[in-house]
Amino acid sequence: DQQVKQNSPSLSVQEGRISILNCDYTNSMFDYFLWYKKYPAEGPTFLISISSIKDKNEDGRFTVFLNKSAKHLSLHIVPSQPGDSAVYFCAAYNFNKFYFGSGTKLNVKP
Amino acid sequence: EAQVTQNPRYLITVTGKKLTVTCSQNMNHEYMSWYRQDPGLGLRQIYYSMNVEVTDKGDVPEGYKVSRKEKRNFPLILESPSPNQTSLYFCASSRAAGQGFYEQYFGPGTRLTVT
């Protein structure tokens, strides 16, 4: 059973608006979380991360929120741009291993 | 240029014919890992290596072998490939996962088809 889940396979957003990508996890022992972005025919690239001892981390247009009690992670992109169109994976780390969600395909419409 | 390289990028083979996918990184990273990506399942970790001669199983190690004889190289070996190993494979590296360096750098991927 997957320990990290992204329940929305796709998301469509208008350029300039906010994109919110969600991720749920089951293992309360995860101590670090990351988001990766993936374009077709390329490997994933790191976007932003957050330690389990924090509840928010911001980097430019990207903000990650962590709700440990709900075991929920979200990525906010504001404002969304067409170049943000990609597949986004959330990932969690525990004891030398990484666990990834199934990905959400974001389409930002001009 | 800092990078992770994988070869080959595409491979079509037949059931049972041993193959090796190579992975190399030029960033002096300690941690290296292999993943497979399948539709609806995301990326699943096959094997990882904390350093030279230190390897361990990920979530889906069955049917795969790895070795880490040098810091920069981490080949993935399929001794007897089967059709259920048809997938997109990624190699990744990071400075030292678990010591505050969790960001992984990924290779471009190897698309493997086993008939």
Side-chain angles (χ1 to χ4, degrees):
Chain A
D1 194 27
Q2 280 193 288
Q3 298 189 46
V4 177
K5 293 182 180 179
Q6 294 176 257
N7 294 316
S8 298
S10 63
L11 174 68
S12 188
V13 170
Q14 204 67 37
E15 180 180 6
R17 306 294 292 267
I18 184 171
S19 295
I20 300 176
L21 294 92
N22 295 303
C23 180
D24 297 299
Y25 61 95
T26 56
N27 187 348
S28 58
M29 299 301 290
F30 286 141
D31 49 18
Y32 209 79
F33 301 89
L34 309 96
W35 284 94
Y36 286 85
K37 180 165 80 170
K38 184 184 181 302
Y39 292 118
E42 295 182 10
T45 56
F46 170 74
L47 192 57
I48 193 170
S49 62
I50 187 168
S51 165
S52 61
I53 62 172
K54 299 193 173 182
D55 54 20
K56 178 182 175 181
N57 187 28
E58 198 170 347
D59 184 2
R61 297 186 296 115
F62 303 93
T63 303
V64 57
F65 295 92
L66 176 61
N67 183 333
K68 287 186 289 294
S69 60
K71 295 192 180 72
H72 181 79
L73 189 69
S74 63
L75 174 68
H76 293 210
I77 306 173
V78 184
S80 301
Q81 300 173 353
D84 296 330
S85 296
V87 177
Y88 290 78
F89 291 99
C90 66
Y93 173 87
N94 178 46
F95 195 58
N96 303 328
K97 293 184 181 181
F98 289 92
Y99 301 85
F100 283 75
S102 54
T104 296
K105 186 174 184 179
L106 174 65
N107 178 33
V108 180
K109 296 178 287 186
Chain B
E1 180 192 354
Q3 60 182 348
V4 177
T5 57
Q6 296 178 226
N7 283 294
R9 293 289 311 276
Y10 302 91
L11 180 59
I12 301 174
T13 189
V14 296
T15 300
K17 185 177 181 181
K18 181 180 178 180
L19 66 93
T20 299
V21 184
T22 64
C23 172
S24 183
Q25 50 94 3
N26 63 0
M27 295 168 280
N28 201 37
H29 284 170
E30 292 182 2
Y31 186 94
M32 296 187 75
S33 184
W34 276 102
Y35 298 88
R36 59 179 289 174
Q37 183 187 358
D38 300 291
L41 296 175
L43 287 90
R44 292 180 293 166
Q45 193 169 36
I46 303 171
Y47 268 94
Y48 65 92
S49 170
M50 298 294 289
N51 212 324
V52 176
E53 302 291 5
V54 182
T55 63
D56 208 344
K57 297 176 181 178
D59 244 12
V60 288
E62 296 79 18
Y64 304 94
K65 283 177 55 178
V66 293
S67 68
R68 186 94 181 271
K69 293 184 170 54
E70 305 165 285
K71 198 169 187 178
R72 62 182 294 128
N73 296 323
F74 191 45
L76 179 69
I77 302 155
L78 284 73
E79 294 268 3
S80 183
S82 62
N84 64 11
Q85 292 179 298
T86 292
S87 187
L88 179 59
Y89 291 87
F90 290 101
C91 180
S93 72
S94 66
R95 277 182 65 179
Q99 297 177 37
F101 302 102
Y102 302 95
E103 172 191 344
Q104 292 183 86
Y105 294 79
F106 282 80
T110 295
R111 184 161 296 280
L112 172 65
T113 303
V114 184
T115 60

